[in-house]
Amino acid sequence: MPRKTHYYRFYFEVARASFRRQLVYRWTNLTGLIVNIFFGAIFSYVMIALFQARHDTAGYDLRDTLRYIWLVQALIMVVVPFGWTDLMLTIRSGDVVSDLSKPCDFYWYWFSREVGSALYYFLFRTVPIYLGGMLLFGIGLPGGWVSWLGSGFFLLIGAALGIAFRFLYNIIAFWIIEARAMVTMGQVIATFFTGSYIPIAFMPFWLRSITLWLPFNGMMNVPTEIFTGKLFGGALAFEFLRQALWLVALTLLARGIAAIAARRVVVQGG
Amino acid sequence: MAAKTTTMIETHDLSKAFRIAKRRPGLFGGMRSIVDPEMRTVSAVRDLNILVERGEMIGLIGPNGAGKSTTIKMLTGVLVPSSGKVTVAGFDPHRQRRALASHIGVVFGQKTQLWWDLPLIDSLLLLRHLYHVPAERHAENLAHMRAMLDLDEFIHTPVRQLSLGQRMRGDLAAALLHDPELLYLDEPTIGLDVVAKARIREFLLEINRTRGVTVLLTTHDMDDVEALCPRMMIVDHGRKLFDGPVTGIRERFGGERTLIAQIDPADLATLPRGGENQPIIEGLPAGVRQVPAESPQVALAFTRDALPAHELVAWLGARIRLRDVTFEEPDIEDMIRHIYEDGLLLKEEEEAVSVG
Ligand SMILES: Nc1ncnc2c1ncn2[C@@H]1O[C@H](COP(=O)(O)OP(=O)(O)O)[C@@H](O)[C@H]1O
Ligand SMILES: [Mg+2]
């Protein structure tokens, strides 16, 4: 059927449009970039001070820790962008009704949009921020092609997990009037459990044991640890299994809830 | 493919009731409402029977809250009816929404399906992939729309920078690029200035005539209907009050028109004053009454059968010097009040049976 190729083309074009849409907000993005670099620098100085007393924490030396810090700043907008309320706002305004009535899949439509902006953030945040870390703190680049390939692949999974998660805490707006509070909560939970405040490796044992099983672990910690060479071999295969299952589960959940929301719109008119 | 019949839209006793939670007053009431909500039912559309033929241009008119948008939503399939039957272009809109989508175009006056931050052209190009339109067909349609709607002057401008009228033109193009046979417009002229309204109306007439697109539009503006539609339906509180030709509609249901006269200041001083210091015109002809207006204006409401408009102007002009006169036509709210008050509904229902 020649139509099938067309079918995927739409999602590709949505991602492209979303990428271009980000290009419009040059100045906002530049400010964000500066803020990320600023935080990277602050955290780096704190860690340098800490490491003067102590030389190895949870198998991380100073350089590993600095790389981790800069990778977090570099990846955060790709995986868990701050204040993402795009979907929630369409629910508020009622525009969601026209999106739901489009002859395309609602979830994959939003997924494609987010893939487009994730790609933007990768090019215009991740790369320059990490370069900033290299220039300011000499964090360098890991050597092995395995860590490049592995972290690249797991970053794709991480980004997809992040999209499913933010879709979920936005779509709650169909049922809860104070959806903004949910967005804030979703944001805080994600930021904490992805290891953006405290590296997961530094968490107390009991907390780490829980966190490693959560999907947030796959969003940022796994690609980062592969990049810095902390995660390899059999452990990698295990992480793949764990996070691939999460990805399937969250995607199914997101699509399921989207279907319930669509039914609600169809009966109650939004 | 649906069979090509001559019927485009057919509904039978189409109804929609919304159930909404009512809040009890006070703190305890509020808490009780959470666990044990008291539900209230709003009948947005009641027993609506619509029959629209292919190629028709039909206006659905009614005041705010009449159920126009709810009706459109049921006709597109985004809202499931509470009861009744509906067929659009041979499809059951709710069950076959995806299939129907490529046969219809929809424009909601207060919403846009265009990408806010991107140039208009980007949204128009993206739509080709949403509806799987062959490239040549899409290019042809786009060229046609660009010419008819004069899109070229702003097609590379981000949508958020467009005026309301320009955005509406963009949205019309977006709704028509996939060659729909049926176009729904929900309040397409709302908020537009006179020039923009005229342009949109001209365009709608054109696509209806040259492309044979069936158009169903809702409005609360009588002028839209008079300019565009040979046939109209009046709805109020979810019920159809009238279904028939537009010509002569104001004469039949029009109620009172209003003459607004700008009085010469010298003569204004000579007029007696009533409540709130309003100038009073004395000895008005039968069927004419004075209604409040802002000085130096005087407003006279009169029925069509009382006397012709020019006679009223002549009558007034013989008594005081007039700077300027304008007429205000009754709006849809006036007409509906008139329909109820004079029991026109019953008479028309009999007529509607013989028409439809
Ligand atoms: N989603 C909804 N939930 C509850 N009530 C609704 C909903 N949508 C519309 N209504 C009610 O239904 C009635 C008709 O609304 P609508 O179709 O929007 O009217 P119109 O478009 O003619 O202004 C109104 O009383 C409105 O408050
Ligand atoms: Mg409406």
Side-chain angles (χ1 to χ4, degrees):
Chain A
M1 225 164 73
R3 282 240 159 144
K4 266 294 178 240
T5 53
H6 280 288
Y7 187 78
Y8 297 112
R9 180 74 189 275
F10 172 70
Y11 298 105
F12 174 76
E13 294 293 336
V14 167
R16 236 167 57 118
S18 173
F19 182 89
R20 267 176 293 138
R21 178 176 169 263
Q22 288 297 333
L23 289 174
V24 174
Y25 294 104
R26 283 182 204 99
W27 295 106
T28 313
N29 282 319
L30 185 64
T31 331
L33 180 76
I34 292 167
V35 169
N36 285 136
I37 290 180
F38 178 75
F39 274 110
I42 299 265
F43 288 143
S44 296
Y45 284 123
V46 171
M47 282 302 164
I48 290 169
L50 282 178
F51 269 83
Q52 254 145 29
R54 208 170 150 182
H55 294 286
D56 195 336
T57 303
Y60 274 62
D61 61 16
L62 179 59
R63 200 190 57 174
D64 294 337
T65 309
L66 292 184
R67 276 186 179 168
Y68 186 96
I69 284 169
W70 283 91
L71 280 169
V72 164
Q73 292 301 322
L75 291 177
I76 200 153
M77 288 304 282
V78 173
V79 177
V80 279
F82 289 121
W84 190 79
T85 51
D86 295 17
L87 171 59
M88 189 199 94
L89 292 177
T90 68
I91 298 170
R92 276 289 161 77
S93 68
D95 288 346
V96 73
V97 176
S98 80
D99 287 341
L100 280 168
S101 59
K102 282 187 181 127
C104 65
D105 183 274
F106 184 67
Y107 181 72
W108 295 125
Y109 168 72
W110 277 101
F111 184 86
S112 311
R113 281 181 69 138
E114 289 311 294
V115 166
S117 53
L119 188 65
Y120 171 87
Y121 285 127
F122 183 79
L123 293 178
F124 295 97
R125 287 281 175 100
T126 308
V127 173
I129 290 170
Y130 195 84
L131 285 175
M134 285 170 72
L135 279 173
L136 295 171
F137 292 90
I139 56 176
L141 288 167
W145 61 271
V146 180
S147 62
W148 282 91
L149 214 65
S151 54
F153 175 72
F154 274 85
L155 183 57
L156 292 180
I157 298 184
L161 281 168
I163 294 171
F165 180 67
R166 60 181 179 272
F167 183 91
L168 282 170
Y169 69 66
N170 266 254
I171 204 163
I172 288 177
F174 272 113
W175 295 274
I176 294 178
I177 298 169
E178 284 138 299
R180 267 198 196 279
M182 299 305 295
V183 169
T184 311
M185 204 157 85
Q187 193 87 61
V188 170
I189 289 174
T191 320
F192 182 80
F193 285 107
T194 47
S196 322
Y197 296 138
I198 316 164
I200 291 179
F202 292 13
M203 285 178 179
F205 177 74
W206 66 272
L207 186 59
R208 192 169 69 230
S209 322
I210 298 170
T211 308
L212 289 179
W213 279 96
L214 299 179
F216 307 107
N217 185 42
M219 291 180 193
M220 205 144 60
N221 189 46
V222 171
T224 303
E225 291 212 312
I226 299 169
F227 193 71
T228 54
K230 299 283 166 201
L231 194 64
F232 48 82
L236 212 60
F238 180 66
E239 277 311 335
F240 173 71
L241 222 69
R242 191 150 68 174
Q243 294 306 332
L245 278 178
W246 267 122
L247 182 57
V248 172
L250 286 186
T251 306
L252 288 179
L253 184 65
R255 298 202 58 202
I257 292 185
I260 296 171
R263 201 151 52 236
R264 180 194 145 100
V265 166
V266 152
V267 174
Q268 295 182 28
Chain B
M1 264 321 263
K4 290 263 173 196
T5 57
T6 60
T7 305
M8 185 57 96
I9 302 173
E10 187 170 7
T11 75
H12 181 71
D13 287 346
L14 185 65
S15 301
K16 181 72 198 179
F18 292 107
R19 280 168 58 76
I20 50 177
K22 210 161 87 179
R23 276 187 74 90
R24 294 186 180 83
L27 178 62
F28 287 107
M31 275 157 66
R32 211 185 124 198
S33 297
I34 293 171
V35 270
D36 170 29
E38 189 183 336
M39 298 305 274
R40 192 163 59 91
T41 307
V42 178
S43 287
V45 174
R46 310 181 210 199
D47 301 325
L48 199 60
N49 292 302
I50 304 178
L51 188 70
V52 179
E53 300 291 322
R54 244 165 228 286
E56 263 197 271
M57 178 108 120
I58 183 164
L60 194 58
I61 186 167
N64 271 332
K68 304 182 296 294
S69 299
T70 306
T71 304
I72 294 254
K73 284 179 188 164
M74 286 192 285
L75 294 179
T76 56
V78 292
L79 204 57
V80 63
S82 307
S83 65
K85 280 211 219 51
V86 52
T87 312
V88 174
F91 297 94
D92 174 341
H94 173 55
R95 290 224 178 74
Q96 299 168 291
R97 194 169 73 197
R98 291 276 171 88
L100 177 62
S102 57
H103 295 262
I104 61 176
V106 190
V107 177
F108 284 97
Q110 285 135 314
K111 305 233 161 81
T112 180
Q113 62 160 323
L114 307 170
W115 287 59
W116 201 243
D117 301 304
L118 294 178
L120 172 62
I121 184 76
D122 291 25
S123 296
L124 300 180
L125 293 177
L126 187 63
L127 285 164
R128 170 164 97 77
H129 304 292
L130 179 60
Y131 292 103
H132 318 297
V133 186
E136 317 79 67
R137 188 78 194 116
H138 186 268
E140 214 173 278
N141 283 344
L142 185 56
H144 197 184
M145 292 297 155
R146 285 172 88 142
M148 274 206 288
L149 288 161
D150 271 328
L151 299 181
D152 282 353
E153 46 181 304
F154 52 84
I155 203 161
H156 295 292
T157 310
V159 171
R160 90 186 108 78
Q161 291 172 14
L162 300 182
S163 72
L164 199 58
Q166 290 173 330
R167 205 176 76 210
M168 179 51 68
R169 276 144 74 191
D171 261 304
L172 280 169
L176 289 163
L177 283 174
H178 60 286
D179 281 326
E181 9 179 356
L182 170 62
L183 180 63
Y184 296 124
L185 302 154
D186 194 15
E187 311 250 6
T189 57
I190 198 161
L192 298 186
D193 61 47
V194 184
V195 179
K197 271 186 192 175
R199 156 155 237 159
I200 302 279
R201 286 174 188 154
E202 201 180 302
F203 172 77
L204 293 176
L205 285 170
E206 174 92 9
I207 56 148
N208 175 252
R209 198 174 54 231
T210 61
R211 303 183 145 219
V213 178
T214 310
V215 179
L216 185 143
L217 67 94
T218 78
T219 182
H220 62 252
D221 182 349
M222 262 310 286
D223 296 340
D224 280 342
V225 177
E226 286 196 317
L228 292 172
C229 307
R231 180 182 152 206
M232 72 178 206
M233 289 183 288
I234 302 178
V235 288
D236 185 46
H237 291 107
R239 263 189 227 288
K240 188 165 83 177
L241 299 187
F242 171 79
D243 184 344
V246 173
T247 39
I249 200 75
R250 292 216 213 243
E251 284 75 5
R252 285 155 86 183
F253 301 146
E256 293 174 319
R257 309 168 78 189
T258 309
L259 178 152
I260 296 170
Q262 199 92 24
I263 311 281
D264 190 284
D267 279 15
L268 191 67
T270 66
L271 289 174
R273 297 284 167 152
E276 291 181 17
N277 206 23
Q278 287 264 334
I280 295 178
I281 311 281
E282 283 169 324
L284 288 169
V288 181
R289 63 193 179 90
Q290 191 173 356
V291 291
E294 261 180 41
S295 192
Q297 290 177 342
V298 164
L300 301 177
F302 63 106
T303 54
R304 274 168 213 275
D305 14 295
L307 75 174
H310 67 270
E311 279 182 23
L312 183 60
V313 176
W315 182 88
L316 193 61
R319 278 157 189 80
I320 36 179
R321 268 175 295 166
L322 305 175
R323 280 277 174 89
D324 189 20
V325 289
T326 51
F327 289 95
E328 256 177 27
E329 295 298 331
D331 58 17
I332 185 66
E333 281 84 357
D334 292 328
M335 290 177 57
I336 287 175
R337 198 178 319 121
H338 194 60
I339 289 174
Y340 282 133
E341 280 170 3
D342 297 4
L344 293 171
L345 169 62
L346 300 171
K347 272 186 263 168
E348 291 302 339
E349 243 174 21
E350 283 155 23
E351 261 179 61
V353 170
S354 59
V355 169

